[in-house]
């Protein structure tokens, strides 16, 4: 029987602004970032730039 390996799937979380502690919880579970609603193109692009710089 082949061994199944678990690979990390990169993801970004989107949360409502009133969800206290959401950023820490998402990052603890492997999120690469967190966007807070309402989303703006500027925030999304900045997050993408930051993620690309890390790669």
């Amino acid at each position: 029987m082949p061994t199944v390996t678990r690979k990390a799937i990169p993801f970004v979380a989107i949360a409502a602004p009133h969800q206290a502690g959401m950023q820490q919880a998402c990052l603890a579970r492997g999120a690469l970032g967190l966007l807070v609603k309402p989303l703006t193109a500027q925030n999304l692009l900045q997050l993408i730039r930051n993620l690309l710089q890390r790669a």
Side-chain angles (χ1 to χ4, degrees), residues 8-14 22-35 47 51 54:
I9 299 172
F11 68 97
V12 173
I14 301 172
M22 180 60 75
Q23 183 174 13
Q24 292 83 10
C26 291
L27 295 175
R29 288 170 177 79
L32 298 177
L34 176 75
L35 293 171
L47 178 62
L51 292 174
R54 281 197 237 172

